Amino acid sequence: MPNLGCGALFPLPSHGALTFHRNTQFPWSNDLPFIVGDAQSCIVYAPLGAPRRVLGESLTPHEAAALVVAHLPHDCGPAFEGPWPPPEHYTD
């Protein structure tokens, strides 16, 4: 499945961060880049466990979203209804 961008994912704003998930209910996928910041300046972080945690700093919100999209996995399709992990029968 081609990379669809942030709009196809489930956005979850919380505690100054904007995370994106492959699913719509807890527990979350937590395997995608996320944004921390405000309307003036943002930092994009890789998911936990990634060798390089900070992907970009001092970015506008638009630049941060573009950087998240650029670092999404190639198999990242639209978010599915339900908790993570996806059901075995799930297909995009």
Side-chain angles (χ1 to χ4, degrees):
M1 158 79 40
N3 190 321
L4 299 177
C6 295
L9 300 171
F10 184 74
L12 184 65
S14 179
H15 298 88
L18 178 58
T19 57
F20 301 95
H21 302 282
R22 299 180 191 228
N23 59 302
T24 62
Q25 296 175 10
F26 181 84
W28 311 111
S29 59
N30 289 320
D31 64 339
L32 303 175
F34 61 96
I35 301 169
V36 175
D38 55 33
Q40 309 305 314
S41 181
C42 301
I43 301 170
V44 175
Y45 290 95
L48 290 174
R52 182 174 157 221
R53 283 299 312 234
V54 176
L55 301 176
E57 301 179 76
S58 301
L59 304 170
T60 66
H62 182 76
E63 292 167 335
L67 190 57
V68 166
V69 170
H71 284 86
L72 291 176
H74 294 295
D75 67 346
C76 191
F80 66 88
E81 293 285 331
W84 189 258
E88 289 184 30
H89 65 277
Y90 177 76
T91 58
D92 289 343

